[in-house]
Structures are given as C-alpha cells and as structure tokens.
Amino acid sequence: MPPRKIIIDTDPGQDDAVAILLALASPDEIEVLAITAVAGNVPLALTQRNARVICELAGRSDVPVHAGCDRPLIRQLVTAENVHGKSGLDGVDLPAPTMALAAMDGVEAILHHIRREPPGTVTLCALGPLTNVATALRRDPEIASRLAGIVLMGGAYFEVGNVTPAAEFNIYVDPEAAEIVFKSGIDITVLPLDATHKALITAPRLERIVALGTPVSRTVASWLNFYERFDVEKYGGEGGPLHDPCVIAWLLDPTLFSGRKINVEIETGSDLTRGMTVADWWHVTTREANALFIGDVDAERLFALITERLGRL
Ligand code: RIB
Ligand code: CA
C-alpha cells in the first residue's frame, strides 16, 4: 500500500512539533506533501519559522513549508504564549532555520497539491485554527470533492473548553473558519479534547522518550517538559495532554481510538459560547452526521507508537 499523502496545516506549538515529527518518522505510511503554517499558538512569523525548525530537526529540509493566513477570517488573533512560550517552541533553544520558506502562499499550496494529486488521495491534517483550510475552500470550493478527508485536532464536548468554559482553542480562535469546514461536506475526523485529554504525558512516558537518547528525543523531552506545566497546573493530574500527535496517530493506527459519527455544529453568534463545538453525541437532533467525533484513546499504545517512531529520527 503506497503511503498516504497529507498536507499538515499547523501552528507550532510543541505538540504540533511532535505531530510533525511523528509524520516525518513514518515515510512508509505517510508522505508529507507540504506543511502550511497558520497564526494560532503564536503569530504567523513564528509558526512558519517553527515549522522549518522542526523539519530541520528531523533532517527533512526537503519538505516545503509555506506561510498561510496571519489572522482569523474576521476576528482578532488570539494567541497562547502562556502555554507555548514567547517563541511557540520554548523549552529548548534551537538555531534559526536555514531552509528557506517556500515562496508560494500556504493557501495556494493547499490548493496546488489537492489539484495536482488524483482526486481522493490527499488528506488534510489540521493542527491549529482552521483559517487556511476555510480560505482554501472559499477560494476553490471544488477541492471539497477532491480531498480524501480532513483529520483535525479541535473542539470538545464532555471535556468542555480549554480557552473558555465552552470552547477549545483551535476552534475558538477562528469559529467562522471552523463553521465553513464543518459545513463543507468533506469527510471529517475530529480529535477533540475528549480524546486528547486522555493522552497525558505521564512521567514514565516522558522517561521512555528521554531513554531514546537521541538529539531529537532530548529536544522533544525539553519541549514537553516546558509545554505540559500549564495544563498540569490547571488540571492537576499526572501530566499534560499531548493534543496534535493524536491526528497523525489516527492515520497510523485508527484502532488506538474510538468515536461516533455525529452532527457537530459551531457556535459563531454568541460571545459567551463562541467556538463551542455543539456535538450531538446522543443523537437528540435530526441534524445530519457530518463528523467522526473521537471520544477515547488507548494512551499507553499511543505513546508506545510515538516513542517508537521518534526513535527512528
Ligand atoms: O487546544 C489545543 C490545540 O490548541 C492544539 O492544537 C495546540 O497546539 C493549540 O493549537
Ligand atoms: Ca496546534
């Protein structure tokens, strides 16, 4: 079976970094056509820089990195330096990237690869606010029928919000973009906080990454040590959640996860519940099911997969 072709849309972010490394460490299963940066955890100038730092850390400066949208469709950008640090990749100082940023705009790059590859062969993996994805859909609605699907980290139902009582960060930052994506008719798989809050970076799991003893594993461990402190303080518990790698892990081994095909709609009108993913988990409406909403993950097997793949870099 040939590797699945993906585009990673991302706002690195330490957890985005581990997701990108996981994809680049799995060339038999995943071909990364491009990485498109979006404003989110930190401004675009940093997310595009960080994406290049991550590719060089993996020895993959051949992967094109593009800069996409620098702000949400209509709202002011909200960032998360309180979680990820000022650089977006705090925890270890890495040299500035030497690989160039690709000249093509990130949204154009998404359109370019989807048009160039045979229909139904490209999967979009969205790890940040959905601004680039929605802008691409607006620019060329045709791509909706050409995409194999979208696998995204975002939203929450039983876990409720992490940036407000109602909303998860990626959806909160650009709810109008999320609404366009969830109404697109594209096959969507959602990795919400309901799943990612069970993917905790416990001490034994972090120790197993450190035990790999490689420059990549040391960097990842330093990133995760820094990144998890915010959530451990906030939620208590035995470690911080590792959100974005769940998207790539889903592609590598969907048996790690379980969920339901349900209707998910996005709140865009209310200030109080802006960005809420209104997930009809109990099928109490007749609204059409538009997303596979993941509710659970086998965290031990997930971290075993992540650790094994990081060991290959
Ligand atoms: O709410 C978690 C999400 O927001 C993750 O993608 C993290 O990287 C941030 O973008
Ligand atoms: Ca992210």
Side-chain angles (χ1 to χ4, degrees):
M1 176 128 153
R4 181 199 295 258
K5 294 175 179 176
I6 73 169
I7 297 165
I8 299 177
D9 193 70
T10 180
D11 63 335
Q14 293 88 347
D15 61 321
D16 302 67
V18 178
I20 293 167
L21 292 173
L22 180 58
L24 297 177
S26 310
D28 294 342
E29 297 106 321
I30 291 175
E31 178 188 352
V32 180
L33 298 174
I35 294 176
T36 53
V38 67
N41 285 321
V42 286
L44 179 67
L46 287 171
T47 57
Q48 58 92 337
R49 177 194 186 279
N50 294 343
R52 290 184 285 145
V53 165
I54 297 157
C55 285
E56 290 190 336
L57 176 68
R60 291 297 309 277
S61 55
D62 59 296
V63 177
V65 173
H66 304 259
C69 300
D70 65 359
R71 75 200 63 191
L73 296 182
I74 59 172
R75 300 195 189 237
Q76 289 296 313
L77 176 62
V78 172
T79 53
E81 286 88 349
N82 58 323
V83 179
H84 299 272
K86 198 159 170 24
S87 74
L89 283 182
D90 282 25
V92 63
D93 288 330
L94 292 176
T98 56
M99 67 183 278
L101 180 70
M104 187 185 286
D105 157 81
V107 174
E108 279 309 306
I110 290 171
L111 297 173
H112 167 76
H113 287 290
I114 294 170
R115 288 170 182 151
R116 191 176 69 164
E117 299 296 336
T121 61
V122 176
T123 301
L124 236 175
C125 296
L127 312 180
L130 292 165
T131 316
N132 287 346
V133 181
T135 304
L137 284 166
R138 274 177 153 178
R139 220 174 271 178
D140 181 2
E142 276 298 296
I143 63 164
S145 59
R146 288 185 70 88
L147 268 173
I150 295 176
V151 186
L152 67 93
M153 191 277 140
Y157 185 60
F158 292 102
E159 273 300 295
V160 295
N162 62 357
V163 69
T164 71
E168 175 279 326
F169 179 81
N170 287 339
I171 310 299
Y172 176 80
V173 169
D174 199 340
E176 284 74 22
E179 184 176 48
I180 289 169
V181 171
F182 278 79
K183 288 191 168 165
S184 66
I186 297 168
D187 184 274
I188 295 174
T189 301
V190 183
L191 282 297
L193 298 181
D194 301 60
T196 66
H197 274 189
K198 295 168 185 163
L200 298 181
I201 310 161
T202 61
R205 290 168 184 164
L206 193 54
E207 280 152 26
R208 282 193 283 273
I209 291 173
V210 172
L212 293 170
T214 64
V216 168
S217 65
R218 279 193 290 276
T219 301
V220 166
S222 303
W223 277 335
L224 296 185
N225 261 317
F226 176 88
Y227 153 84
E228 70 160 351
R229 85 217 175 287
F230 178 82
D231 281 312
V232 169
E233 245 165 70
K234 177 173 168 184
Y235 295 109
E238 47 179 347
L242 194 53
H243 304 288
D244 292 337
C246 290
V247 168
I248 304 301
W250 161 262
L251 297 179
L252 293 172
D253 184 359
T255 70
L256 295 173
F257 302 90
S258 64
R260 289 183 186 179
K261 189 82 190 275
I262 60 172
N263 176 267
V264 179
E265 307 224 349
I266 310 298
E267 175 59 66
T268 56
S270 151
D271 285 339
L272 181 63
T273 55
R274 153 197 170 167
M276 181 176 182
T277 45
V278 182
D280 187 5
W281 184 261
W282 302 112
H283 302 296
V284 296
T285 75
T286 56
R287 296 197 289 255
E288 188 193 346
N290 59 339
L292 176 59
F293 198 83
I294 301 299
D296 204 358
V297 60
D298 180 332
E300 211 44 35
R301 287 175 56 216
L302 169 72
F303 276 86
L305 172 66
I306 291 169
T307 306
E308 186 273 324
R309 294 297 160 101
L310 289 177
R312 299 184 182 186
L313 294 174

